[in-house]
Amino acid sequence: MIDLVRSIRLFVLILIVAGTAGFGNSNAQNLDTPPRAKEVVSAFEQVRWREIAEGFAVLRIITSSGLVATAYRFLPEKFSIELALQSNSSGSRARDIGEREGAIFAINAGFFAKAENGNLYSIGYLRKDGNVLSKGWQSAGGVINFKAGNSISLSPSHAGIPKNSGDALQSRPMLIEPGGRWAMSRNLADRENRSILCRRANSEVIFIVISRLGLSLYEAGWILRDRNDGGYFGCDSAIALDGGSSTQVWVSGEQQVSYSGLSPVHNFLVARFKAD
């Protein structure tokens, strides 16, 4: 959710991200791994994925400083990732949406704001079931494209909004552009809870949630890089979802790897088993 302070910070971030387009790829030299990112990567390297269901696994760590990070990995042949909207105008929680959609997983998605009457409305481009519900940014951030067959892809906003008939959601910033291209250049040191979507080159989808102490966007983006470049997840593309108080995730029957967050939100991404 966006309040005045967050709006100002987002505006500054947009200027920075817009100025970093084409900065380089994940192999960019003379970049030092941020210490907090290095701590998170080191912790991930010491644990193993735990399978929740066939094609769905979870990786959870608590660093020595107390930061909690959880990753949720979905195989594309087993799961579809879909866009879901709030159940009522004042927002919903991830658990409510996950159960409503018959999903195994739900996470907060794009940005939103609250009107004077308390109703939530989306910020950034949002298309659901063929209906455009909000306009987008021309250059900031990126777009999550939901394709036929329930596959997804990520593209930078400056490449244009896809014209297909599928759902689409804009968020910001892109942390890794398609092809593993590193899209961040400055560390604002703004430690917040984070919700992140990563897509690997093999079409695996990984969500990462950072909670308790938080990370800056730059630090969070770093853990998405290839291991040879100081990261861990090796994302082909990745985008930040709405973070801070909006960050929340629900996994059916798995309270330990769920996170309730602080506020209801407008829209969500859910994972459902594909029909055999």
Side-chain angles (χ1 to χ4, degrees):
M1 178 179 173
I2 296 181
D3 54 24
L4 178 59
V5 174
R6 291 185 66 194
S7 296
I8 294 172
R9 292 170 65 184
L10 281 168
F11 177 73
V12 173
L13 180 60
I14 290 170
L15 294 179
I16 291 173
V17 173
T20 63
F23 173 76
N25 57 35
S26 63
N27 296 312
Q29 300 299 313
N30 63 33
L31 295 177
D32 295 326
T33 305
R36 286 196 293 262
K38 186 179 295 186
E39 180 186 28
V40 173
V41 168
S42 177
F44 272 127
E45 289 173 340
Q46 320 236 352
V47 296
R48 294 186 177 182
W49 291 95
R50 176 171 69 91
E51 189 171 70
I52 300 292
E54 186 178 1
F56 173 30
V58 173
L59 196 64
R60 183 176 186 267
I61 58 103
I62 302 177
T63 68
S64 57
S65 64
L67 180 144
V68 178
T70 312
Y72 310 83
R73 183 182 66 193
F74 294 92
L75 301 185
E77 61 270 24
K78 296 294 183 180
F79 286 89
S80 62
I81 308 298
E82 303 170 26
L83 175 63
L85 304 184
Q86 60 190 9
S87 294
N88 58 73
S89 59
S90 59
S92 299
R93 298 280 187 170
R95 176 172 183 166
D96 297 334
I97 295 301
E99 292 178 343
R100 184 196 76 184
E101 296 293 318
I104 194 172
F105 171 92
I107 189 171
N108 69 289
F111 288 85
F112 62 96
K114 180 184 290 188
E116 290 184 2
N117 61 4
N119 292 348
L120 304 187
Y121 59 93
S122 60
I123 294 177
Y125 187 83
L126 176 61
R127 184 175 66 223
K128 175 66 176 171
D129 298 328
N131 299 310
V132 176
L133 304 180
S134 57
K135 296 180 179 180
W137 311 299
Q138 291 187 350
S139 59
V143 184
I144 306 168
N145 312 299
F146 300 82
K147 301 179 180 180
N150 299 119
S151 64
I152 66 169
S153 66
L154 303 178
S155 60
S157 295
H158 60 73
I161 303 295
K163 302 301 183 183
N164 59 46
S165 59
D167 295 344
L169 173 70
Q170 200 171 34
S171 191
R172 61 191 180 197
M174 285 207 75
L175 306 173
I176 308 285
E177 291 193 357
R181 186 178 176 85
W182 178 236
M184 304 291 289
S185 68
R186 296 187 188 181
N187 188 357
L188 298 180
D190 53 335
R191 300 186 71 175
E192 294 275 8
N193 289 347
R194 303 292 177 191
S195 304
I196 298 167
L197 168 59
C198 157
R199 185 182 183 277
R200 284 176 162 169
N202 62 1
S203 297
E204 284 182 357
V205 171
I206 300 176
F207 295 96
I208 299 100
V209 169
I210 308 292
S211 59
R212 200 192 303 169
L213 300 183
L215 288 176
S216 70
L217 284 165
Y218 185 89
E219 292 165 334
W222 200 280
I223 69 175
L224 310 178
R225 292 158 61 102
D226 289 333
R227 295 194 185 190
N228 290 337
D229 297 316
Y232 182 80
F233 290 103
C235 303
D236 178 74
S237 55
I239 193 168
L241 305 173
D242 191 9
S245 61
S246 297
T247 298
Q248 56 192 274
V249 62
W250 170 81
V251 180
S252 179
E254 294 282 343
Q255 184 175 356
Q256 186 182 23
V257 291
S258 298
Y259 182 74
S260 59
L262 296 177
S263 63
V265 303
H266 180 275
N267 53 79
F268 303 81
L269 300 177
V270 301
R272 286 197 279 212
F273 288 104
K274 285 186 174 180
D276 293 332

